[in-house]
Amino acid sequence: TFTAWCNSHLRKAGTQIENIDEDFRDGLKLMLLLEVISGERLPKPERGKMRVHKINNVNKALDFIASKGVKLVSIGAEEIVDGNAKMTLGMIWTIILRFAIQDISVEETSAKEGLLLWCQRKTAPYKNVNVQNFHISWKDGLAFNALIHRHRPELIEYDKLRKDDPVTNLNNAFEVAEKYLDIPKMLDAEDIVNTARPDEKAIMTYVSSFYHAFSGAQKAETAANRICKVLAVNQENEHLMEDYERLASDLLEWIRRTIPWLEDRVPQKTIQEMQQKLEDFRDYRRVHKPPKVQEKCQLEINFNTLQTKLRLSNRPAFMPSEGRMVSDINNGWQHLEQAEKGYEEWLLNEIRRLERLDHLAEKFRQKASIHEAWTDGKEVMLKHRDYETATLSDIKALIRKHEAFESDLAAHQDRVEQIAAIAQELNELDYYDSHNVNTRCQKICDQWDALGSLTHSRREALEKTEKQLETIDQLHLEYAKRAAPFNNWMESAMEDLQDMFIVHTIEEIEGLISAHDQFKSTLPDADREREAILAIHKEAQRIAESNHIKLSGSNPYTTVTPQIINSKWEKVQQLVPKRDHALLEEQSKQQSNEHLRRQFASQANIVGPWIQTKMEEIGRISIEMNGTLEDQLSHLKQYERSIVDYKPNLDLLEQQHQLIQEALIFDNKHTNYTMEHIRVGWEQLLTTIARTINEVENQILTRDAKGISQEQMQEFRASFNHFDKDHGGALGPEEFKACLISLGYDVENDRQGDAEFHRIMSVVDPNHSGLVTFQAFIDFMSRETTDTDTADQVIASFKVLAGDKNFITAEELRRELPPDQAEYCIARMAPYQGPDAVPGALDYKSFSTALYGESDL
């Protein structure tokens, strides 16, 4: 038995013994056996064949045995060298006891008692097996078969064994152990059966081999389970990290594409094109942006959940790749909203500008057309040299006519100045058709200068012949002088009555109606002036007829005939009711707009304060947090549903706001809330309740993962809230120190206390923000009160799987771990570079430390 036991270990070193008392005499194989079973190096042996060399080698082995706390009584090196079989066997038994049996520990029993208790526990469920000792309890062989079947049931058909056939039972167990368990056959079945009391030492030696074989398999299974658990956590975290990176990249790319569109300030030429831009912007606010708001909120929730899981599994915090931090997303989002706000304001200003431009351009065209119609033929008339052949009376008439023309010319000066001023304003407002406006304006100004020059030249010519003038028809002159300004007044009235107008408030349209009513009040006086002018013309005709004077035809001093005056007066009478109708229509439109303003204001003045009240209530809920975390979570989710159920009120407000924008209403004095304020408040409300729910969920994760009781969580919350004086959800350094002191931490104001406080602050506030959140406080307290896996524990587990080697092979990983986790390790473990490396050796130590952030994976 002892020979087989020794060979089972020496085989690992590539050697064997045949006779214990002979093969151990030189001490060489004895030292080799001790190195194999202890895993330690003994002093270098002496290779000489002299007796003194052998004695020295045996003494080195005996000294090593004694160093392990074994007392060697009456065993000397000389007896071993001399081949004393009794002493040699005693020494081997001592080695077996120390290295194979002494370290066995089962339920606070060790060595022989521990081995016996282990056998009893393992064979207890089997019939006909009652292990009470290490001799007769094993004679029938059933105990050996029961041990094997308990650990490897597929190797033994236990139900087919018979108690009355001990030799078959023993041989079956010995053969199975040697073939499948690598336990050499140390006993002989016939010797055991034929001996009244089998040798106790032989039985113990053989049974200890079973203990070590099965104990090693159990350790390997435990180690594999630990590694699987650690790797599963790591794989899940990596999936979460990849999902975050992908979602963050997509959101940042959308923001990157959207901001240039919002920052594009190139104005369009027409109102229709700008209104299309406004419609595109509305689609962006209603259709494209809301899903991105939800994605941003979900991304923050996923990031916080991932960080909580990493902290709970004692992993390093997740650091997204450069440019994909939550702060980067928030900065990009803030830039987006700034661009969005400026874009809407720019669109509205551009639409107002284009409306103003269209109004001015139409006004320019009307005034220019009237002026061009008036100047038509004037240059020809001023260049006409009719005075060269005219009579004296004709000359006088021509002078008077020219004076009337100059009066008319002066009356048109204001219109020319107005045309130039409008053209200048169109240029300043960057009107798209400024070139044609400038060309037309320049032509009018050049023609006006020419008329002034021609008028001056004709006056000089007429004045040269003024001495020849004697008579003049005073009535015609008076008619001309009064008809010309009246005609000019009528043209101005027609121009005003046809003038376009743009108003935005009820007050503005009422001002226009008041001005129009004032104009209508002057019509009776104007009518009397018209009748007086016509009376002058009739009186001139009456005098000419009564005195038989033959008039040459039309009034020589003016081209404004009574027919023209009557025609224009009739035109004025037609335009007045049209103007009335246009003003009333605009008044109705403005009244409708006022109704839209009041309707929107009524709803906004309800929704706005409601959102503000809910924000304040959420703030109080997040501070008070009464009841269990599950109750708090249920309450918050119920609260969130009540907020979501309020969304139809916001949709109604959006519909009313769209009607206001379609009506081009730009201000509302009935409310301080704009749709932008309401949208931002609603988005902040949804984000705040979602974040608060996420905080409670993370606290539940922390509580469950760390085994923190509800009472502890309430104590932590009560302590935190007590020192959170401003109810801001975070503690300053001094508040946090006072909180720690109240919980029993020694962080008083001395050197040791300050050092401990700085250590704790570096854990709860790694970014040195100067604030400690409740989640960071809970994480710290959970780490202080619970235990987690460490890198050293994972390294120890891998060492068990590697058979105590400093490296592990891919074959060993595939044998001990599930396929997906084995391949996960193989793909990430670096090659082992130690002096004892073999081809394909993998470094499990650096891999384990990298899992916990202690090195780079």
Side-chain angles (χ1 to χ4, degrees), residues 596-610:
L596 291 176
R597 289 188 184 96
R598 293 180 181 274
Q599 178 178 264
F600 175 86
S602 175
Q603 183 72 3
N605 289 335
I606 295 174
V607 174
W610 183 89

Side-chain angles (χ1 to χ4, degrees), residues 25-26 28 46-55 57 81:
R25 291 178 63 183
D26 60 1
L28 294 176
E46 298 179 11
R47 297 293 181 177
K49 296 184 179 294
M50 297 178 64
R51 179 178 175 81
V52 66
H53 296 149
K54 296 178 181 180
I55 291 173
N57 289 339
V81 174

